[in-house]
Each structure stands twice: as C-alpha cells, then as structure tokens.
Amino acid sequence: MAILAKLRSGGRDEVTVHERNPAGETHGFAVTFGEDLLDEAFRNDPEGGPALRRVARLWNAQQIRVGDHRPVHVGGKYGYSIARVELLDVLARRAEQLGVDVRYGEPTERADVDADVVVAADGVSSRLRTGRADHFGTTVTEGSNRYVWLGADSDSDTFVWDFQRTDAGWVWIHLYPSSNGLSTCIVECEPDTWTGLGLDALPAREGIRMIQSLFSRTLGENRLIEPLGGIAENPWLRFREVRNRTWRDGDLVLAGDAAHTTHFGIGSGTVLAMQDSMGLADALYGGPGDPREPAGPNRADGRGAALAAYDARRRAVVTPVQDAARRNMHFFEQAGRQLDRVEDPVEFAWSLTDRRGDMGRIHYQLHKATQIGPLRQVRRGLTTARRVRRAALREGGRAQRDTD
C-alpha cells in the first residue's frame, strides 16, 4: 500500500511504514503466486511489477505421491515462487525509491500514529485489531490438524505432495520451490497421528529428524531446515482462521492476515494481502491512470466513503476465497480416512486437486489423460504456450503505457 499511495498521489502524500522486524528479517521461506497477481502488479506499478517477475522462479510440474504407489502427475499447473526475504527486499527497495519512510524494528500501537489513514497489516495476532475485536467482529476458528513450517535445501522445479503412512496414521508434506535455492516444506498430520508418533512430546529437533526419515524418498539427500528466526520449543501449530465482520474502524483499516486468513493448503495469504493494498489504493485514489480526482487520504470529505467502499468490496471478494479455503482445510482434516481406502492413487490425486469443489468433468478427463507420458508432454506444451502468450500481453501493455 505504501508504494501505491506514493504512485497514485504523484509522490505528494507522506507515507510511513512501521515494520516490527529488523531489515531483512522474515519468518517464512517462500510465497507462491499466479498470473493474476503478476498482471495486477504490472498494471499498478509498471516498474515494480517487472522487478517482481525477474526475481520470481517459475515452477511448471506438480506431483502427488501416496505411499509406495507411483507418482501421479497434475497437468496444466504452473506458478511462480519467490523467497519471502527477496519479496520483502524488492518491495522495500521500491518503497524507499519512491520516498516512503520505512522504519524497521518499530512496532506500533494505534495511539502512536498521527495519520489520515492507518493500515493495520500486522498479521494473524494483529495488535492494532485485537484492542477493538468487538468493533471488528473478530472470530478466530482453529483447525484440528497439526502442522509445522520448515524449509528444505531442495532446488527442484516440481511442486510435490507426499503422503506417507506410519503406524500412528498418515503424515504428509507440501514441498514447493523458491527463488533462492531453498524450498518450503509444510508438514501436516491429524491430531491422533501427531500424538501417536510422540511429536507432542519429542524435542523439536528430534521431531524434525523423524520427519526427515519418513520422507527420505522425496527429500533424498536434501536437508530439512528449521524455521527462520529459530525453532520454538514446540513448533507445531494449528491453523487459525481469522474473519472480521468489518475491516474498518474510523480511519483504521485492516489488510492481509489481520483482516482474513486462508488455509496454507491454497497458498493465497500473501497474494490476498497484496490485492487488499491494490483495492485500498483504488478506493482512495482511483485506479491506475484514472482521470477523475482521487479521494485521497487527505480529502476528509471523500475519505470515509473511500474506506467504506474498500471494506465492502474487498470483504465481498475475500469471503468466497475463505469459504473455499475452509473446504480445503476440512479435506485435510479427514484425509486419513480417505487415504486408508486408496486403491487408485490417480483417483485420490483427483480428489486432492478438486478439494475446493470448483472443477468440472472435463478437468477430470484431462487429469486422467495427464498420466499418459506423451499426452502429458502435449498438455505441458500447451500450458507453456499459454504462459508465454500471457507474458507477452503483459509486457506489451507495459510497453504501450511507456509510449503514451
């Protein structure tokens, strides 16, 4: 939002970012995103969008592995990954280039801030939101499964789900590449499996060694890496779904995980946060190149209506995504029962692919065809052609703007 406020105001608005972490510090490994976010990044910031694409890494293959069965291939899937630390660096450099005052290691309370608009993007446990939870109508619902967010020194271009059975039940990892030679590795299991394996009582590093051995087929010689910032005494978490009845309290608005969370199985958290910023900028200033006079945060007469419009529009967009993410969470909370009955891993892989319930019969037929090597290569070629065409249109739009 800081970048967009500077761009849309022509540099006139004073923008300050209070970042609680020191410069260059983050607590996660990678962010994944798709073409839609790239299109929006190029449209909103013709210089910053290309910088994001240059740093990001393309992944263009996805596999689902179930026990000792042969891997199942998921066709037509590709995306982009970027290390969180590199994403923060790209955004911070662009913000500072535009004149944003970025203050690191400086958490803040609402009373500390004298501003026309305050954007609370301070995460799931938002301090700025918590004090007014009744006003925002905040609800926090915990999932039942346990998970831990790790890294791996794997440099594969393949996005992998691997489900392994143990004497205590099923455990699975969600492994996807990044832009800096590391991969994100999310480990998840049902609560009875977690306790049955003794992961609730084992020292954290012993638990990680157990996971390393369970998934040696996929990890190979690649080493699991502890969470950035150090490993907690008990690093195993339960997902928290945050919802709010409203995202606005006067001149304070919520964005990102402070406003909403989505289960990590759909990987939309950072993307939604960036889209929140774009939606707020549109509400306050109008869209990129919009000829009408912007409301702007300094225009008190239009500010209230703009913030109300942001609140209503973005909640309407995000609510269905959260509903889909909840279905995704429930799929994994019941995965053990389905895995116990697996005879055909291709069918299980389809149920995993369609876990949000938004795919049709034609997609199922394509999924079956993708398991045949030559057809898989044809489909990959078509996907590549579609990707190249979209990139050309995106770059072409940028070139057109540069000549206008």
Side-chain angles (χ1 to χ4, degrees):
M1 180 58 200
I3 293 169
L4 298 181
K6 278 293 188 182
L7 287 171
R8 303 283 181 89
S9 71
R12 293 184 298 274
D13 286 350
E14 294 183 9
V15 184
T16 302
V17 174
H18 296 268
E19 169 55 57
R20 64 173 173 250
N21 292 324
E25 180 178 302
T26 184
H27 300 289
F29 288 94
V31 172
T32 62
F33 56 90
E35 297 281 19
D36 288 347
L37 182 69
L38 273 183
D39 289 346
E40 292 170 348
F42 272 67
R43 179 179 69 89
N44 280 273
D45 184 1
E47 290 188 34
L52 174 63
R53 175 62 190 96
R54 283 193 297 271
V55 175
R57 176 176 184 169
L58 171 72
W59 55 265
N60 58 7
Q62 189 171 151
Q63 288 185 359
I64 298 170
R65 303 172 181 178
V66 180
D68 295 328
H69 293 283
R70 293 178 60 184
V72 179
H73 300 274
V74 179
K77 295 285 188 180
Y78 73 94
Y80 304 91
S81 295
I82 183 171
R84 286 182 181 273
V85 66
E86 293 186 336
L87 174 61
L88 290 176
D89 183 63
V90 167
L91 296 177
R93 286 176 181 270
R94 183 62 172 144
E96 290 168 354
Q97 178 188 34
L98 293 169
V100 175
D101 179 9
V102 183
R103 303 179 183 180
Y104 292 102
E106 190 173 298
T108 188
E109 303 289 347
R110 175 65 188 92
D112 299 335
V113 181
D114 180 17
D116 294 305
V117 174
V118 178
V119 183
D122 52 342
V124 176
S125 302
S126 170
R127 296 169 65 179
L128 293 173
R129 183 200 68 220
T130 301
R132 296 298 309 278
D134 289 343
H135 170 84
F136 289 113
T138 306
T139 59
V140 181
T141 306
E142 284 196 330
S144 62
N145 280 5
R146 293 284 182 164
Y147 73 97
V148 62
W149 209 291
L150 303 172
D153 58 2
S154 168
D155 198 30
S156 171
D157 285 330
T158 302
F159 198 107
V160 177
W161 292 91
D162 188 357
F163 297 80
Q164 289 296 323
R165 182 166 189 156
T166 72
D167 291 341
W170 290 87
V171 184
W172 53 92
I173 60 172
H174 180 189
L175 184 73
Y176 55 89
S178 185
S179 57
N180 61 351
L182 300 178
S183 292
T184 293
C185 184
I186 305 173
V187 188
E188 185 179 7
C189 61
E190 294 176 36
D192 288 348
T193 304
W194 182 65
T195 55
L197 290 173
L199 291 168
D200 58 328
L202 279 176
R205 288 187 175 87
E206 287 187 31
I208 292 174
R209 285 195 291 271
M210 176 189 292
I211 298 301
Q212 179 89 47
S213 64
L214 285 175
F215 293 96
S216 58
R217 178 186 63 175
T218 291
L219 294 172
E221 298 299 319
N222 298 310
R223 177 178 54 90
L224 285 176
I225 301 170
E226 297 174 1
L228 300 178
I231 191 166
E233 182 178 348
N234 182 3
W236 292 87
L237 307 171
R238 293 169 62 189
F239 173 72
R240 289 182 291 167
E241 181 196 69
V242 173
R243 296 196 185 216
N244 288 280
R245 184 180 61 249
T246 178
W247 297 1
R248 182 193 173 204
D249 180 11
D251 59 7
L252 172 66
V253 291
L254 307 178
D257 282 355
H260 50 77
T261 59
T262 53
H263 190 266
F264 50 84
I266 70 168
S268 296
T270 301
V271 170
L272 289 173
M274 296 176 73
Q275 291 171 334
D276 287 347
S277 296
M278 297 170 191
L280 180 55
D282 287 349
L284 285 169
Y285 299 97
D290 194 327
R292 61 191 171 90
E293 184 179 3
N298 300 313
R299 288 278 307 278
D301 55 341
R303 187 166 63 235
L307 297 180
Y310 160 75
D311 179 19
R313 292 170 187 166
R314 283 302 295 166
R315 278 192 296 108
V317 169
V318 171
T319 296
V321 180
Q322 286 196 287
D323 292 342
R326 180 177 284 184
R327 292 194 294 273
N328 167 89
M329 180 179 72
H330 289 161
F331 173 90
F332 287 108
E333 290 178 342
Q334 302 167 27
R337 279 171 281 179
Q338 188 172 354
L339 285 159
D340 283 339
R341 299 192 300 268
V342 167
E343 295 181 1
D344 182 356
V346 175
E347 293 298 322
F348 173 79
W350 169 249
S351 69
L352 175 64
T353 304
D354 190 35
R355 61 191 179 277
R356 289 178 285 185
D358 56 358
M359 306 185 86
R361 184 70 182 174
I362 184 64
H363 295 100
Y364 174 72
Q365 297 299 335
L366 285 170
H367 172 71
K368 298 279 283 188
T370 298
Q371 309 317 309
I372 302 170
L375 295 180
R376 181 164 63 251
Q377 294 306 314
V378 169
R379 190 175 184 190
R380 180 174 291 183
L382 293 172
T383 300
T384 299
R386 187 174 72 245
R387 173 176 55 80
V388 170
R389 179 177 180 275
R390 189 157 180 178
L393 290 172
R394 188 163 52 234
E395 290 286 351
R398 179 193 176 205
Q400 180 62 47
R401 287 190 295 270
D402 290 344
T403 59
D404 289 342

